[in-house]
């Protein structure tokens, strides 16, 4: 079947051929189906049965926040699957990366758990990297408690230097298996905590044994400053600018079409920045989970909350497990991020 570079207008033709994207991650991945470009770096191809009638596409794009792997997306119309077209598209778009910084990079794909896309990626030699769950906590499901801990909660500007430093430290830690690019405080602010990224509110919780006191100019790690957990909320209309940025930054979480959209949070535990997480005592780990739960409870009193939890976040994962088991939360989506070598290595 003829395969050619993707051109202007092909994305609209593909929308007419493909069924509606089943998940927000699939919708985000389809945004890569646009003409090849050098800034940001992207290569794309399209298969068509006859001119003007596309049946599949593939794209590979740089991942600014995680530059040691590139994002890949391959999709074929339902009626054309099972005949090898997906592999042809994958090999064709990989060939298009020759002579660019994308050439030779390991690849990364995010797919719905248990989907045909996951099976296809595994057939290409991809293997699991990270599991992501998107969970929803209804308003008031977690009664605000903490008895006297009100003084430990601090509502801060998303421009807070203390928050930005803590976010950077945490983000690097929870992405240990998918290394983060060297980032400045300014880059972190722009990618995650700016108006352009959709950030519109933040809160920090100090540990029970150490109240805030170091201020935004404090030095040292977030843990040393007494910070236990933080949360950043995002506007539904957020549109992160960088290719792959929305997937890297985990912005634009789903709200399932409710009249009043759920508040979307990135919830981080500073405990997750520890190098010796596995060696921590049960008491230390339980205290970290309790602090994350307390912060989540305070922020979900009046509004539904949606959080994204990855397998690199042990504390928030344990909290999610607890809430799901107790019926205080529901799982909206489960994704697998898979990693694999370029096509010429398969």
């Amino acid at each position: 079947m003829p395969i050619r570079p993707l051109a202007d207008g092909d994305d609209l033709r593909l929308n007419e051929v493909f069924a509606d994207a089943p998940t927000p991650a699939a919708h985000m991945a389809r945004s890569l189906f646009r003409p090849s470009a050098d800034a940001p770096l992207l290569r794309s191809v399209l298969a068509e049965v006859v001119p003007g009638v596309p049946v599949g596409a593939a794209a590979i794009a740089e991942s600014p926040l995680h530059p040691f792997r590139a994002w890949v997306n391959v999709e074929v119309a339902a009626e054309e699957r099972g005949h090898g077209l997906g592999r042809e598209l994958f090999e064709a778009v990989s060939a298009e990366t020759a002579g660019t910084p994308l050439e030779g990079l390991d690849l990364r794909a995010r797919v719905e758990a248990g989907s045909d896309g996951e099976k296809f990626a595994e057939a290409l030699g991809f293997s699991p990297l990270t599991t992501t769950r998107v969970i929803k906590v209804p308003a008031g499901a977690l009664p605000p408690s903490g008895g006297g801990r009100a003084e430990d909660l601090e509502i801060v500007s998303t421009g807070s230097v203390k928050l930005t430093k803590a976010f950077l430290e945490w983000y690097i830690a929870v992405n240990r298996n998918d290394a983060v690019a060297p980032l400045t405080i300014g880059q972190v602010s722009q990618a995650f905590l700016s108006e352009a990224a959709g950030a519109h509110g933040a809160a920090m919780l100090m540990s029970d044994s150490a109240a805030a006191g170091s201020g935004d100019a404090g030095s040292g790690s977030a843990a040393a400053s007494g910070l236990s957990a933080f949360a950043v909320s995002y506007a539904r209309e957020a549109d992160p600018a960088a290719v792959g940025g929305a997937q890297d930054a985990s912005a634009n979480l789903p709200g399932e079409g409710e009249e009043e959209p759920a508040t979307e949070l990135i919830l981080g535990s500073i405990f997750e920045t520890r190098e010796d997480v596995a060696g921590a005592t049960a008491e230390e780990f339980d205290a970290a989970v309790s602090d994350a739960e307390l912060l989540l409870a305070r922020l979900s009193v009046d509004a539904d909350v949606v959080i994204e939890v990855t397998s690199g976040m042990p504390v928030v994962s344990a909290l999610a497990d607890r809430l799901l088991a107790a019926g205080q939360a529901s799982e909206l989506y489960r994704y697998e991020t898979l990693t694999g070598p370029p096509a010429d290595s398969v």
Side-chain angles (χ1 to χ4, degrees):
M1 186 172 295
I3 295 176
R4 61 167 174 81
L6 198 143
D8 287 331
D10 283 335
D11 56 337
L12 300 179
R13 298 183 185 96
L14 286 167
N15 286 338
E16 295 174 355
V17 173
F18 295 151
D20 291 342
T23 67
H27 179 76
M28 194 74 65
R30 279 187 187 171
S31 70
L32 298 181
F33 292 155
R34 59 182 185 272
S36 296
D38 292 332
L41 185 56
L42 177 145
R43 293 294 181 265
S44 57
V45 296
L46 175 137
E48 52 188 3
V49 288
V50 295
V53 183
V55 291
I60 295 177
E62 68 175 335
S63 179
L65 297 178
H66 302 262
F68 306 104
R69 290 186 175 92
W71 284 109
V72 60
N73 186 38
V74 179
E75 189 167 357
V76 175
E79 63 273 13
E80 297 291 339
R81 295 173 186 169
H83 304 295
L85 180 57
R87 181 178 286 272
E88 288 183 39
L89 283 163
F90 177 56
E91 293 174 348
V93 76
S94 293
E96 289 291 316
T97 68
T100 78
L102 295 172
E103 183 179 12
L105 281 182
D106 284 350
L107 301 176
R108 182 201 304 103
R110 179 172 292 177
V111 296
E112 188 175 11
S115 66
D116 289 342
E118 181 178 15
K119 296 180 178 67
F120 171 66
E122 290 173 344
L124 291 176
F126 282 61
S127 58
L129 180 67
T130 303
T131 298
T132 300
R133 293 177 291 169
V134 180
I135 71 168
K136 179 179 178 180
V137 181
L142 302 176
S145 57
R149 296 283 307 276
E151 68 277 8
D152 295 337
L153 180 68
E154 182 180 359
I155 304 300
V156 298
S157 162
T158 58
S160 161
V161 174
K162 182 175 180 178
L163 171 68
T164 307
K165 289 181 176 179
F167 195 109
L168 174 58
E169 186 181 349
W170 169 84
Y171 190 74
I172 292 172
V174 300
N175 286 285
R176 289 186 177 98
N177 65 343
D178 192 13
V180 177
L183 297 173
T184 66
I185 293 298
Q187 289 171 323
V188 172
S189 178
Q190 180 63 27
F192 298 99
L193 304 173
S194 66
E195 183 178 348
H200 66 84
M204 299 189 299
L205 183 72
M206 308 308 293
S207 68
D208 198 14
S209 59
S214 57
D216 273 2
S219 60
S221 69
S225 72
L227 181 61
S228 177
F230 67 85
V232 181
S233 61
Y234 292 84
R236 289 296 304 277
E237 64 272 16
D239 184 18
V243 171
Q247 298 178 70
D248 292 340
S250 301
N252 285 341
L253 306 182
E256 279 206 324
E258 57 270 39
E259 290 184 8
E260 291 294 329
T263 297
E264 298 163 4
L265 295 179
I266 287 181
L267 178 64
S269 169
I270 301 304
F271 183 91
E272 293 166 339
T273 66
R274 290 179 50 159
E275 293 290 343
D276 63 338
V277 168
T281 66
E283 291 77 12
E284 289 174 322
F285 186 80
D286 289 345
V289 174
S290 295
D291 277 2
E293 182 173 9
L294 173 58
L295 182 56
L296 180 61
R298 295 282 179 85
L299 299 177
S300 61
V301 173
D302 300 316
D304 296 348
V305 167
V306 173
I307 60 174
E308 188 171 279
V309 187
T310 75
S311 51
M313 301 161 58
V315 169
V316 182
S317 290
L319 173 58
D321 291 343
R322 178 191 298 177
L323 299 180
L324 291 167
Q328 295 171 300
S330 58
E331 185 176 291
L332 301 182
Y333 303 102
R334 182 183 292 254
Y335 303 122
E336 295 294 339
T337 300
L338 307 173
T339 184
D344 57 8
S345 301
V346 175

